[in-house]
Each structure stands twice: as structure tokens, then as C-alpha cells.
Amino acid sequence: MGQIKTQPVNKAALPKTIRYQGKPVQAVQYQDNTGTYLALITQTGSQPQKGDAEFKQAHLYGYVYQLNSGGTPTLLWQLHDMVTDCNLDMVAEFVHGSFSVTDLDKNGKAEVWVSYRLACKGDVSPSDLKIIMHEGTTKYAMRGVGKIKLGHGIPDDGGVINSNEFKKGPAVFAQYAGKLWDKYVVERMQ
């Protein structure tokens, strides 16, 4: 459904001229009618809080660089989210398999999608879930609380808190975001 062909890029092959924080999780190169791009997601993992070793922090990053022929890549957009001031169990992770590139509205401009979970919790409660999409420099987001799967049942908790940004774009964006929400809303406890 409107997928754009991507080419995986391993860490060793990342251009030396791009700047990013954290450790690479996944990188892809793709092309649309506006040029050639490199999309990259990274994460720091849990680390001591700067200035207060009692607390932990973790950061998630996303980047899209336009690859200019013969020149330095140009940063098109950057995503940064985090959990800070946490002295409990922390979740800051990209949802496996959620990083994708589409052209759902068939306008020749790629949409880059990523979903992730964030939480600082000391009990069995759901994490925040965010689905972020950029088309060029325009950002769309769906935010809310996930659901926990314990045993054989799924509690009736969680739900979308805010998806208003998707109402500003083509209906196909909101429909696809809703499908992703349904796919990723349940968090399986390990």
C-alpha cells in the first residue's frame, strides 16, 4: 500500500558528514520526486541522568537527510523524544518494524513513519505510544497510551489521546495511522 522502495544502510556505510546522537537502530536510503534521502533512527538506551546519578534518562532520535549530489547532506528534519528523571523501570524504544517509507497520497513526496514507546513506571502499566510521520518537513503525530497484554487477556485501557495533526492532511494519512495504532497499541510484557 503506497510503499516506497528503500535500501538498508548499515552503520559503517553512513556518510561521515551526517551528524546524529545515540546508536543507530536502523537506516534506509530512498528516492522520491524531490530527491534522494537517508532516514536514520537512533537511541541512547538507559544512561545516568546528567547532574544526578540517582536518576536515569534515555533518548530517541530520528533524522532525514537529503543527499545532495557531490555536496554535504542537508538535514531535512529531526525527531527527539526522551524519558528523563526516572528512578523506576524505563521504556524508551522504537516499535520493531514500524520504521517505513510510503507515498500514500501518491504525490511523489515520501512519508517517513516511526512508532515508539516511552514510560517511567514502577508497576505493570502501559507505556505512552507515539506514531510520528513526516512528509517533507510537515510533521503529523498520533499520541496516546497503549494497552498491556498479560496472560490471555487484554485490559480495556489505553487509547488515542491526540491525533488532530492527522486531520490537517489527506484522509489516507489518518487511516494509515489508525491501522498502525491498532497494530502497535498492545504492549506485551516480558
Side-chain angles (χ1 to χ4, degrees), residues 43-61 80-88 90-92 119-120:
Q43 60 190 24
T44 63
S46 177
Q47 55 185 253
Q49 180 89 21
K50 293 177 183 172
D52 191 345
E54 180 185 340
F55 293 95
K56 300 176 291 184
Q57 63 182 355
H59 298 261
L60 300 175
Y61 299 93
H80 177 213
D81 213 336
M82 71 207 99
V83 175
T84 60
D85 302 319
C86 184
N87 62 358
L88 302 169
M90 183 169 30
V91 175
C120 177

Side-chain angles (χ1 to χ4, degrees), residues 11-58:
K11 180 182 176 182
L14 289 172
K16 302 294 183 220
T17 53
I18 69 165
R19 300 285 174 243
Y20 61 87
Q21 295 184 55
K23 296 176 184 143
V25 174
Q26 189 176 356
V28 296
Q29 187 171 321
Y30 64 91
Q31 188 169 2
D32 68 12
N33 290 347
T34 65
T36 302
Y37 297 88
L38 173 74
L40 168 69
I41 55 174
T42 66
Q43 60 190 24
T44 63
S46 177
Q47 55 185 253
Q49 180 89 21
K50 293 177 183 172
D52 191 345
E54 180 185 340
F55 293 95
K56 300 176 291 184
Q57 63 182 355

